């Protein structure tokens, strides 16, 4: 993948919609799918030279050629244009990114997730920028202690890291910035992410982001931590290895849900399925006074990390198992095991609306087994992070599980992600995380 030669803030092409396709974009939905586009007309010099315009700024016009919005183009992505500015006077330049990032960080400061400049940040973590929900489709930034992890999920953003990184340096003053691609997303965006592993040695402290950095995972600015760092969540310590962890390091979106779940678990034998490094399990044991927790994940690295987290917090009541979640649940059911609570937090089952039905079938199957493992009066904590599955679909799935199981199910709480993961009202796909706390009679 070659980065486009110049990253201009002025539009290099006009993207003209097919008739009757403009409504969602007047309504500020940020994703223009290729199927809505009639043609792309290069502007000025770009037309003559047939430049690669992937990642560049384009104007979105209706079929009568009236301006709707500016966005970043990518012919290789299902989302051909990611819209970010609906004002003809607001180009997508450095000042634009600075305004959006400032506003995103201000929200986290307002809710107390981001300490003020100069305060100790070394043991807290927060999502500082959440893509569409912060008006920058394709950019995720998480802060872990004194470090930032930047995750571009759009080509146009990856190409602009040289402008975005200095803004983050200025606004957050981290010790270092690490770049991490979501491999599946990078592929969907045609970003050739060829990195196998991050650098493990602390490289020379650099002051400039590297020009070749955008498509390779790794350290892009400042210092890299020598080893794992420790983050405190709800008073519990979690080691995070920013160089190897899943996602950007921890699943920060579940922080409040772990605490909420813990309130229902006192004295219970708990099964934490898809436990990663033990977020729910350790909170259940320490804050929830669960009598014991069996925590299961398919990743050996995650399990090893979970065991270290248990030691770090002096917790002996959590037992970890590395296994395939689906098979493990079947085996528990065959053995007739019973639990006082089951937590299900599986990985995403589909991307986009396309796989929603299949995802719902997978949720149905998992939840059905989980219910069969519960004693009367047991607690089911069921989560879904599949964006294509709506909250309503998810609740209907749970209702279907209750009906098929012939058990009374009461939904005690329906929850969403932590408040540093806001939801864009004009892009409801950003409401991806559902968490239901249920009682099964
Ligand atoms: N509950 C966790 C987050 C879970 S994310 C927390 O609170 O931090 C989903 C987890 O599912 C990941 O850790 C991943 O390793 C695991 N996973 C994915 N596919 C799996 C499978 N087939 N069997 C078991 N675990 C799986």
């Amino acid at each position: 993948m070659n980065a486009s030669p110049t990253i201009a803030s002025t539009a290099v092409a006009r993207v003209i919609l097919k008739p009757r396709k403009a409504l969602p974009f007047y309504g500020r939905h940020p994703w223009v799918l290729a199927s809505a586009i009639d043609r792309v007309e290069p502007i000025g010099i770009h037309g003559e030279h047939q430049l690669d315009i992937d990642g560049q700024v384009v104007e979105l016009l209706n079929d009568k050629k009236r301006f709707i919005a500016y966005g970043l183009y990518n012919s290789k992505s299902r989302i051909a244009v990611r819209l970010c500015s609906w004002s003809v006077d607001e180009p997508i330049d450095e000042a634009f990114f600075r305004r959006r990032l400032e506003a995103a960080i201000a929200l986290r400061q307002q809710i107390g997730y981001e300490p003020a400049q100069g305060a100790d940040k070394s043991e807290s973590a927060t999502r500082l920028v959440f893509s569409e929900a912060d008006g920058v489709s394709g950019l995720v930034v998480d802060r872990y202690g004194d470090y930032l992890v930047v995750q571009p999920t759009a080509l146009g953003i990856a190409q602009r890291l040289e402008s975005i990184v200095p803004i983050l340096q200025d606004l957050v003053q981290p010790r270092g910035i690490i770049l991490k691609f979501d491999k599946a997303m990078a592929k969907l965006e045609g970003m050739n992410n060829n990195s196998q592993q991050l650098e493990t040695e602390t490289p020379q402290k650099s002051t400039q982001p590297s020009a070749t950095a955008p498509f390779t995972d790794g350290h892009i600015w400042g210092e890299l931590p020598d080893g794992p760092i420790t983050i405190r969540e709800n008073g519990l310590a979690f080691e995070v290895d920013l160089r190897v962890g899943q996602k950007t390091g921890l699943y920060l979106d579940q922080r409040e849900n772990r605490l909420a779940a813990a309130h229902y678990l006192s004295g219970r034998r708990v099964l934490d399925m898809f436990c990663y490094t033990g977020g729910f399990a350790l909170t259940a044991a320490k804050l929830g006074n669960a009598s014991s927790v069996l925590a299961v994940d398919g990743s050996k690295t995650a399990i090893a990390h979970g065991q270290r987290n248990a030691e770090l917090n002096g917790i002996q009541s959590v037992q970890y198992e590395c296994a395939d979640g689906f098979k493990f649940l079947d085996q528990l059911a065959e053995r007739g095991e019973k639990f006082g609570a089951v937590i299900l937090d599986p990985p995403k089952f589909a991307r986009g609306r396309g796989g929603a039905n299949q995802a719902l079938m997978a949720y149905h199957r998992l939840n059905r087994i989980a219910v069969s493992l519960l004693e009367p009066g047991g607690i089911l904590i069921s989560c879904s992070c599949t964006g294509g599955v709506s909250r309503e679909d998810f609740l209907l799935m749970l209702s279907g599980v209750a009906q098929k199981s012939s058990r009374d199910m009461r939904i005690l709480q329906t929850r969403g992600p932590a408040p540093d993961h806001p939801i864009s009202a004009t892009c409801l796909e950003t409401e991806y995380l559902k968490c239901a706390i249920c009682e099964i009679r």
Side-chain angles (χ1 to χ4, degrees), residues 192-227:
N192 202 357
N193 171 232
N194 51 13
S195 50
Q196 301 298 315
Q197 212 187 338
L198 293 169
E199 304 161 64
T200 46
E201 288 163 30
T202 307
Q204 293 250 305
K205 187 167 173 162
S206 54
T207 49
Q208 289 295 315
S210 139
T212 55
F215 307 108
T216 315
D217 278 9
H219 150 272
I220 45 172
W221 178 82
E223 294 168 29
L224 192 68
D226 307 332

Side-chain angles (χ1 to χ4, degrees), residues 2 19 44 56 59 72 83-84 101 108 142 168 192 197 235 299 308 317 323 326 344 354 371 384 397 399:
N2 298 315
Q56 302 271 18
E59 288 175 7
L72 300 177
L83 301 176
C84 358
L101 298 188
R108 280 68 178 178
D142 288 343
L168 289 170
N192 202 357
Q197 212 187 338
S299 154
R308 277 206 300 285
S317 52
F326 287 86
L344 292 178
V371 165
S384 156
M397 178 280 297
S399 173

Side-chain angles (χ1 to χ4, degrees), residues 365 381 406:
R365 177 159 128 63
I381 293 148
S406 304

Side-chain angles (χ1 to χ4, degrees), residues 405-425:
S405 312
S406 304
R407 304 272 296 263
D408 285 329
M409 181 189 291
R410 282 203 292 174
I411 298 174
L412 307 176
Q413 286 194 33
T414 58
R415 308 181 52 90
D420 50 349
H421 295 62
I423 296 158
S424 163

Side-chain angles (χ1 to χ4, degrees), residues 271 273-274 324-339 341-344 361-375 379-380 382 397-398 400-402 404-405 407 409 440:
L271 173 65
M273 292 304 299
F274 310 96
D324 174 76
F326 287 86
K327 286 195 193 131
F328 195 84
L329 280 170
D330 283 340
Q331 287 160 2
L332 290 172
E334 272 164 33
R335 293 207 300 267
E337 298 249 9
K338 294 288 171 206
F339 293 86
V342 178
I343 300 160
L344 292 178
M361 286 197 289
Y363 285 122
H364 184 96
R365 177 159 128 63
L366 273 182
N367 282 273
R368 190 82 205 271
I369 309 174
V371 165
S372 78
L373 294 174
L374 282 169
E375 297 160 353
I379 296 290
L380 171 69
S382 184
M397 178 280 297
L398 286 174
V401 168
K404 288 264 187 237
S405 312
R407 304 272 296 263
M409 181 189 291
I440 316 289

